[in-house]
């Protein structure tokens, strides 16, 4: 009852706005998408509403009835989850890709010359944070890379698992671990002293960010064209994302 | 970003509290003044339910009810109304989560009012509404204010139901707790420190005012 009364009072404020696009995106995309939103609003006067969260959380919100126009997921598993739940969408393709890195804030001599194996064996690296492969896609890629490098025997004792890749990075920054396997883009905001090494892309499956389109009307199509333009690409690349 | 989410947090919490006050009064009167035991029991259970359910579960309930595919959502969509992922959704989530704290405190305050005074007022010809404002509310004033403040403070800190039902959208639903979550996830240390300070200061102010009100109401009853 109270809700009905309230809704009728607030009706004029709740009327659906036309000039807007609701975008769900993985938190890791916050910085580049915010920049894109601002530019797009200036140019086209269309309001991009950004909702950030963990990709899997967003996917289950969608399966429970949330209705974004577009969803950019970090990794393919939330997309597969939605397919299993029979969520209907118009189209999907890969928008971006990311890279796996190994980083440490410990001072290690000749970081650049040494291989990852040698660094991990060093006595300064006692604990290494990774994202839990059962909970986060980053963890799956990390485990693939570790297996393919054939270093699991001596790395196993040093590993601590975090619930997602961002927490793994925070572990290292709080001194709970000495090194971390994470995405290249996880370090954008950190000015602290740390060294990083890219892990050869042959060692793990390609890390791809699918974009899923639910609403195929003109406004959305126009925004998708912009997302794929060089201008938007340059912004994504500035923050460490690459082409798919 | 910090100022924006601070203002948004206060705005959402104040509106949520204003919505809750009349509902909390009505349900508290039912619980403390009704003779019908079953009605009292049912209202009491519904008041307390949001307190014991995880806020995330409440958020999912709201999402299922109000989403365009949901029961109420279908009707609203046909009327051209949109609730999910709007500021109104954030207000609704805050209302629901903070309601039990407010209502339970007000129940205690109403319970402590001397029933004989109410009877005297009635016997002297006062109607129920007049009796409520001149006796019940006046006698329990500080306790009621404490309850309202407690609900408001809870609304300031609401996170779980909001992120599920209203999302994490800047200027719409990104209140201080959600902005803190966002800053941790993106590694935005500078804003994180500011946001946490805001949150702590707001919390301390609420607790201090609440304690003052409680001590005033205790003195009154002694």
């Amino acid at each position: 009852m109270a809700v009905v009364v309230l809704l009728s009072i607030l009706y004029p404020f709740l009327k659906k706005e036309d000039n807007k696009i609701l975008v769900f995106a993985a938190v890791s995309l916050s910085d580049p998408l915010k920049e894109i939103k601002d530019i797009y609003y200036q140019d086209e006067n269309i309001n991009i509403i950004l909702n950030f969260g963990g990709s899997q959380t967003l996917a289950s919100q969608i399966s429970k009835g949330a209705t974004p126009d577009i969803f950019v997921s970090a990794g393919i598993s939330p997309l597969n989850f939605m397919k299993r739940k029979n969520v209907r969408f118009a189209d999907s393709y890969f928008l971006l890709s990311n890279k796996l890195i190994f980083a440490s804030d410990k001072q290690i001599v000749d970081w650049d010359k040494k291989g990852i194996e040698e660094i991990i064996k060093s006595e300064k690296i006692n604990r290494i944070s990774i994202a839990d492969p059962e909970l986060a896609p980053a963890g799956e890629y990390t485990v693939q890379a570790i297996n393919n490098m054939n270093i699991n025997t001596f790395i196993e004792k040093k590993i601590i698992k975090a619930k997602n890749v961002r927490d793994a990075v925070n572990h290292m920054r709080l001194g709970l671990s000495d090194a971390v396997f994470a995405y290249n883009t996880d370090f954008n905001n950190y000015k602290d002293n740390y060294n990083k090494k890219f892990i050869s892309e042959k060692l793990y499956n390609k890390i791809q960010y699918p974009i899923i389109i639910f609403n195929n009307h003109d406004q959305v199509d126009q925004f998708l064209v912009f997302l794929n333009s060089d201008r938007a690409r340059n912004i994504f690349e500035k923050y460490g994302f690459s082409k798919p | 970003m910090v100022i924006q989410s601070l203002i948004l947090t206060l705005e959402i919490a104040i509106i949520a509290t204003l919505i809750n006050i009349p509902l909390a009064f009505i349900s508290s009167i039912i619980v403390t003044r009704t003779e019908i035991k079953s009605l009292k029991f049912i209202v009491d259970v519904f008041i307390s339910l949001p307190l014991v359910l995880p806020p995330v579960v409440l958020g999912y309930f709201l999402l299922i009810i109000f989403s365009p595919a949901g029961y109420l959502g279908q009707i609203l969509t046909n009327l051209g109304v949109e609730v999910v992922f709007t500021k109104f959704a954030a207000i609704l989530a805050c209302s629901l989560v903070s309601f039990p704290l407010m209502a339970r405190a007000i129940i205690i305050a109403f319970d402590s009012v001397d029933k004989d005074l109410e009877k005297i007022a009635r016997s002297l010809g006062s109607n129920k509404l007049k009796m409520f404002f001149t006796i019940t509310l006046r006698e329990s004033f500080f306790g009621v204010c404490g309850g309202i403040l407690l609900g408001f403070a809870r609304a300031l800190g609401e996170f779980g139901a909001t992120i599920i039902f209203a999302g994490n959208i800047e200027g719409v639903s990104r209140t201080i707790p959600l902005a803190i979550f966002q800053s941790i996830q993106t590694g935005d240390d500078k804003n994180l420190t500011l946001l946490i300070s805001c949150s702590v200061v707001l919390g301390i102010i609420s607790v201090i005012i609440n304690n003052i009100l409680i001590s005033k109401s205790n003195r009154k009853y002694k």
Side-chain angles (χ1 to χ4, degrees):
Chain A
M1 243 289 279
V3 172
V4 175
V5 173
L6 208 68
L7 280 172
S8 45
I9 297 167
L10 293 169
Y11 182 76
F13 303 101
L14 293 169
K15 277 201 89 161
K16 210 173 164 148
E17 249 184 273
D18 282 333
N19 263 2
K20 67 167 198 192
I21 300 172
L22 180 59
V23 178
F24 278 19
V27 193
S28 52
L29 290 163
S30 307
D31 295 327
L33 280 181
K34 189 150 187 291
E35 212 171 310
I36 287 172
K37 168 203 160 96
D38 292 342
I39 292 176
Y40 200 69
Y41 186 73
Q42 274 173 7
D43 289 2
E44 307 287 336
N45 200 27
I46 286 173
N47 195 8
I48 307 291
I49 297 182
L50 298 170
N51 177 35
F52 296 114
S55 300
Q56 188 51 46
T57 312
L58 295 172
S60 51
Q61 274 175 305
I62 293 168
S63 76
K64 288 278 181 298
T67 51
D69 297 303
I70 298 170
F71 169 34
V72 191
S73 157
I76 189 95
S77 47
L79 176 61
N80 292 334
F81 166 83
M82 289 195 296
K83 282 180 184 163
R84 276 203 307 280
K85 294 273 171 187
N86 294 321
V87 175
R88 261 179 280 167
F89 55 90
D91 194 12
S92 77
Y93 56 87
F94 290 120
L95 181 72
L96 300 163
S97 71
N98 209 339
K99 293 190 181 92
L100 205 59
I101 59 162
F102 176 76
S104 170
D105 53 5
K106 294 282 168 300
Q107 296 304 316
I108 288 168
V109 205
D110 290 336
W111 171 277
D112 292 328
K113 288 179 201 157
K114 283 179 178 162
I116 288 177
E117 197 179 323
E118 210 178 329
I119 293 170
I120 288 172
K121 276 181 178 167
S122 121
E123 55 191 28
K124 280 189 177 168
I125 308 288
N126 289 316
R127 276 161 305 185
I128 301 164
S129 288
I130 69 164
D132 191 328
E134 285 179 14
L135 299 176
E140 290 172 38
Y141 299 120
T142 306
V143 170
Q144 279 172 9
I146 289 172
N147 287 339
N148 289 330
M149 282 189 275
N150 280 321
I151 51 174
N152 20 8
T153 41
F154 61 89
I155 201 176
E156 217 166 343
K157 279 173 280 172
K158 297 188 174 185
I159 280 180
I160 354 177
K161 288 175 188 168
K163 76 173 189 298
N164 61 43
V165 66
R166 184 63 67 176
D167 285 350
V169 176
N170 283 335
H171 272 181
M172 182 184 82
R173 301 186 68 226
L174 293 169
L176 295 168
S177 65
D178 309 309
V180 61
F181 280 94
Y183 293 134
N184 182 33
T185 51
D186 283 324
F187 286 84
N188 286 334
N189 280 315
Y190 300 145
K191 287 166 190 72
D192 329 356
N193 284 328
Y194 66 91
N195 293 306
K196 70 175 181 185
K197 249 184 192 333
F198 282 99
I199 292 169
S200 163
E201 286 178 70
K202 289 172 203 144
L203 296 173
Y204 55 92
N205 290 347
K206 203 154 194 219
I207 305 169
Q208 288 181 309
Y209 284 50
I211 181 164
I212 301 130
I213 299 122
F214 295 92
N215 246 331
N216 230 345
H217 59 77
D218 293 348
Q219 247 175 32
V220 176
D221 286 344
Q222 201 188 343
F223 179 60
L224 289 172
V225 171
F226 182 76
L227 270 185
N228 288 292
S229 69
D230 285 343
R231 209 163 156 206
R233 286 252 164 261
N234 288 338
I235 295 171
F236 282 126
E237 270 163 35
K238 189 170 89 186
Y239 289 100
F241 293 96
S242 3
K243 283 184 180 169
Chain B
M1 179 190 169
V2 178
I3 299 290
Q4 190 193 26
S5 45
L6 178 64
I7 294 169
L8 185 72
T9 309
L10 292 171
E11 187 189 338
I12 288 175
I14 289 171
I15 299 174
T17 309
L18 291 177
I19 293 172
N20 277 347
I21 291 172
L23 295 173
F25 276 0
I26 294 167
S27 45
S28 304
I29 291 170
I30 294 174
V31 171
T32 53
R33 300 291 184 268
T34 186
E35 304 288 319
I36 312 161
K37 282 237 168 83
S38 53
L39 178 68
K40 182 179 168 163
F41 178 76
I42 291 167
V43 175
D44 212 11
V45 167
F46 271 96
I47 289 174
S48 307
L49 205 56
L51 191 69
V52 290
L53 286 176
V56 181
V57 173
L58 296 173
Y60 263 117
F61 280 153
L62 289 171
L63 184 63
I64 291 166
I65 295 167
F66 283 97
S67 75
Y71 312 107
L72 193 55
Q74 258 169 3
I75 304 166
L76 294 173
T77 311
N78 290 336
L79 294 170
V81 171
E82 186 177 43
V83 174
V84 182
F85 300 106
T86 61
K87 198 184 274 182
F88 179 67
I91 294 168
L92 215 56
C94 279
S95 281
L96 185 65
V97 173
S98 62
F99 183 74
L101 285 171
M102 188 192 287
R104 290 170 72 94
I106 294 177
I107 288 174
I108 294 170
F110 281 179
D111 247 346
S112 63
V113 175
D114 188 350
K115 306 268 187 312
D116 288 341
L117 286 175
E118 290 181 355
K119 277 181 199 154
I120 293 166
R122 294 282 284 148
S123 73
L124 292 172
S126 158
N127 64 26
K128 280 192 176 172
L129 201 65
K130 196 175 173 195
M131 176 205 79
F132 175 73
F133 283 107
T134 51
I135 307 290
T136 319
L137 196 56
R138 226 185 115 192
E139 288 296 304
S140 58
F141 185 72
F142 290 114
V144 168
C145 287
I148 292 170
L149 190 80
L150 200 61
F152 174 72
R154 175 64 185 89
L156 289 177
E158 165 43 33
F159 177 84
T162 309
I163 200 163
I164 298 291
F165 181 49
N168 166 23
I169 303 167
E170 198 172 2
V172 174
S173 58
R174 193 177 295 159
T175 54
I176 289 180
L178 277 91
I180 290 174
F181 165 78
Q182 176 78 12
S183 301
I184 293 172
Q185 293 294 304
T186 53
D188 187 348
D189 289 351
K190 206 182 92 213
N191 281 330
L192 182 64
T193 321
L194 274 172
L195 286 161
I196 289 177
S197 319
C198 277
S199 182
V200 171
V201 170
L202 281 176
I204 291 174
I205 295 173
S206 309
V207 173
I208 290 175
I209 300 176
N210 194 32
N211 284 352
I212 294 172
L213 289 169
I214 287 175
S215 67
K216 282 207 180 210
S217 71
N218 283 347
R219 213 172 301 147
K220 202 163 172 196
Y221 299 138
K222 264 170 203 166

